[in-house]
Amino acid sequence: MDVTDGKESPNPILTGPHWPVFFHYALPSVAGLLALTTANIVDGIFIGNFAGADALAALNLLIPYFTFLFGVALALAIGGTVRAGKYLGEGKPEAASAVFSKCLIATFTLALAATGLCVVFHESLYRLLGASPELYPLMSEYFLVIIWVMVVQLVAMVLYYFIRVDGLPALATTALVLGAGANILLDALLVGYLDYGLQGAAVATGLAQLLQLGVLLVYAFKPRRQLQFRLRQRQWQEVVSAFTNGVSEWINELSVGLVMLLINWLLMSSQGVTGVAAFTVVNYLIFLSLMVFYGISDAMHVLVSHNLGAGNAERIRQFMACGATVILGLGVTLVLLVWLQGSGLIRLFLDTTEDVATAQLADRFLTILWPLFLINGLNVLLSVYLTAMHQPLPSAMVALSRSLILPALLLVLIHQFAPHWPLLAALPIAEWLTFGLALTLFLRFRPDRLITRAQPAVQM
């Protein structure tokens, strides 16, 4: 029986019409992440056109480190908001507030510690990332500024997720949109007009992140908020539990970083800086597609976790159907866009009079990679569903398969045993193989089965 029977719930997630509620949460999430993606893409456009292909390659070589650190914060954000959402669905705002406070404190502490280590060991990190010594100055120009920015950025990201789970997605999205808009304008000023290069791009990101955090802090003055920040906390093992439940998100980010590292190594050895720069351009388009799909899937964290707490399997099925339908439609649209305008999109990032070889190589890469856009969104959705249903191990299996085990294995196999094959074919093949696993796990851990299994414990 629905736990809301006999009561009028103020929570539309539990009782409202599913399509309007889905769009109420998904559209702000997609808009926010698209705004964030647009800012990153504009960074690439300005860096590629004003600082050159080598600067793009230097930026790409740093991505594995960024994904590792973002993954830790994202695991705390996702795992924490799933726990907080369940508590809110059960009518326990005090417990939800404790999770909120501990996740913010843990994120700030970890980000600050990582920054201190990077200040001391940055050149060792460059070597580990596979960079050649001639790229070190370009990497330092950006990295030694952005590591301080990331302290603010990671805290703001965790705060963004908790504000959404507390039913204020419009505020969270407004912060992202304003931050992204400021980043674009500051890129135009510092990189395009004043020609400060990679350092200017890092400063632009820092100023935009401060604006974004300022907007998010308006949440503290919202009278209807349920989450309260408290500095003094106990039972810190709950942070470990939150991270464990969000571990698939960390695996996603870490795996992307490791695969990027492997791709960079292989491309650097076979095609040099030109190959790395060409893949950087194409990777912006992959990143765009994933941000669209993550925006939709992030809304599912809120919708599924609340209804799990309320014991409502039918609502979960309805919201999953909404997400899958929209993701499939967007996947087809992205493929058509790549077919019709792929070459034009690539040339946005490069001065084709100076970087002709890089642009041509990026064109070839895109003709290999387009099939992954059809299926990567569904894999993300199914992994997120398993996380929201408190099934971290199956979720981690999907995340590991699509973003680390299969692509890394296929990259090595192609490089060693089929050098005549295009190396990057490993990525779409890995996504399609993962889909079979993800669909099998979804059917095994479908909503009615999990909620029926939990009913005796709820009724005790």
Side-chain angles (χ1 to χ4, degrees):
M1 183 183 350
D2 190 337
V3 296
T4 62
D5 284 354
K7 305 181 192 178
E8 183 180 352
S9 172
N11 189 347
I13 295 173
L14 304 180
T15 60
H18 54 278
W19 274 109
V21 172
F22 169 78
F23 282 120
H24 176 73
Y25 279 85
L27 288 179
S29 180
V30 171
L33 290 180
L34 277 179
L36 183 61
T37 302
T38 301
N40 289 334
I41 289 173
V42 171
D43 277 350
I45 291 173
F46 278 103
I47 289 170
N49 281 282
F50 291 94
D54 284 0
L56 274 180
L59 185 60
N60 189 60
L61 288 164
L62 292 168
I63 287 176
Y65 170 76
F66 295 147
T67 56
F68 169 78
L69 203 56
F70 270 102
V72 174
L74 191 61
L76 288 171
I78 298 299
T81 52
V82 166
R83 292 179 72 85
K86 186 171 184 291
Y87 286 139
L88 292 175
E90 294 170 344
K92 299 176 182 177
E94 297 85 2
S97 295
V99 176
F100 166 63
S101 301
K102 284 180 271 197
C103 287
L104 278 178
I105 294 168
T107 301
F108 175 77
T109 303
L110 291 169
L112 197 60
T115 298
L117 289 172
C118 287
V119 168
V120 178
F121 299 110
H122 55 276
E123 289 202 356
S124 299
L125 178 63
Y126 301 160
R127 283 193 293 273
L128 179 64
L129 294 174
S132 54
E134 62 267 21
L135 289 177
Y136 288 4
L138 279 173
M139 295 172 78
S140 290
E141 186 181 335
Y142 184 79
F143 188 67
L144 294 181
V145 177
I146 206 69
I147 53 175
W148 295 101
V149 172
M150 288 186 71
V151 178
V152 177
Q153 191 168 10
L154 296 179
V155 170
M157 182 180 71
V158 174
L159 182 57
Y160 161 82
Y161 275 93
F162 276 97
I163 290 173
R164 287 176 58 249
V165 86
D166 197 14
L168 294 167
L171 173 61
T173 301
T174 298
L176 280 187
V177 170
L178 290 176
N183 198 356
I184 292 169
L185 293 174
L186 289 166
D187 271 339
L189 174 63
L190 298 177
V191 183
Y193 182 70
L194 297 177
D195 198 23
Y196 287 162
L198 284 167
Q199 189 175 61
V203 171
T205 300
L207 295 174
Q209 287 299 318
L210 286 172
L211 173 63
Q212 181 175 298
L213 180 61
V215 176
L216 289 171
L217 289 175
V218 172
Y219 173 71
F221 303 99
K222 292 287 185 180
R224 62 175 289 251
R225 77 186 190 280
Q226 299 181 76
L227 301 176
Q228 306 288 335
F229 179 80
R230 298 286 184 270
L231 187 59
R232 299 186 63 178
Q233 294 292 330
R234 295 179 298 173
Q235 297 180 336
W236 283 92
Q237 68 270 19
E238 190 167 33
V239 172
V240 178
S241 299
F243 180 86
T244 301
N245 196 43
V247 72
S248 65
E249 313 306 326
W250 178 66
I251 290 171
N252 274 330
E253 293 293 319
L254 177 63
S255 300
V256 167
L258 290 174
V259 170
M260 286 285 294
L261 184 60
L262 179 58
I263 290 172
N264 286 339
W265 283 346
L266 295 175
L267 289 176
M268 188 69 79
S269 66
S270 62
Q271 294 168 312
V273 175
T274 299
V276 175
F279 181 70
T280 305
V281 173
V282 173
N283 196 47
Y284 277 115
L285 302 180
I286 299 174
F287 181 56
L288 172 64
S289 75
L290 284 174
M291 287 303 101
V292 174
F293 300 139
Y294 274 120
I296 295 168
S297 299
D298 282 346
M300 302 305 295
H301 281 295
V302 180
L303 302 175
V304 171
S305 63
H306 276 247
N307 281 286
L308 176 63
N312 196 334
E314 179 60 27
R315 293 282 289 176
I316 294 173
R317 282 196 298 270
Q318 291 171 342
F319 285 131
M320 285 297 293
C322 294
T325 300
V326 173
I327 282 174
L328 278 172
L330 288 173
V332 172
T333 302
L334 284 170
V335 168
L336 292 174
L337 180 63
V338 166
W339 283 351
L340 298 174
Q341 297 293 333
S343 297
L345 291 173
I346 286 170
R347 282 161 178 77
L348 285 174
F349 294 88
L350 296 166
D351 183 347
T352 55
T353 61
E354 296 185 5
D355 299 308
V356 177
T358 303
Q360 290 174 344
L361 188 56
D363 277 335
R364 290 204 297 274
F365 286 168
L366 195 56
T367 62
I368 298 164
L369 290 169
W370 69 262
L372 68 81
F373 298 130
L374 290 173
I375 206 69
N376 59 351
L378 289 177
N379 287 335
V380 169
L381 176 67
L382 293 172
S383 177
V384 163
Y385 162 80
L386 292 166
T387 298
M389 295 297 286
H390 292 244
Q391 301 297 319
L393 182 58
S395 180
M397 290 171 61
V398 175
L400 272 173
S401 296
R402 69 169 292 270
S403 56
L404 179 59
I405 295 175
L406 289 176
L409 178 62
L410 291 167
L411 282 165
V412 172
L413 289 175
I414 291 172
H415 180 71
Q416 291 294 325
F417 302 108
H420 56 285
W421 279 34
L423 181 69
L424 295 182
L427 302 185
I429 294 172
E431 289 284 3
W432 280 90
L433 291 174
T434 298
F435 179 65
L437 171 65
L439 188 59
T440 300
L441 290 172
F442 173 75
L443 294 174
R444 176 176 173 80
F445 297 103
R446 58 186 182 270
D448 52 342
R449 177 176 292 183
L450 290 178
I451 289 176
T452 299
R453 185 187 305 168
Q455 283 301 319
V458 173
Q459 293 169 356
M460 284 177 63

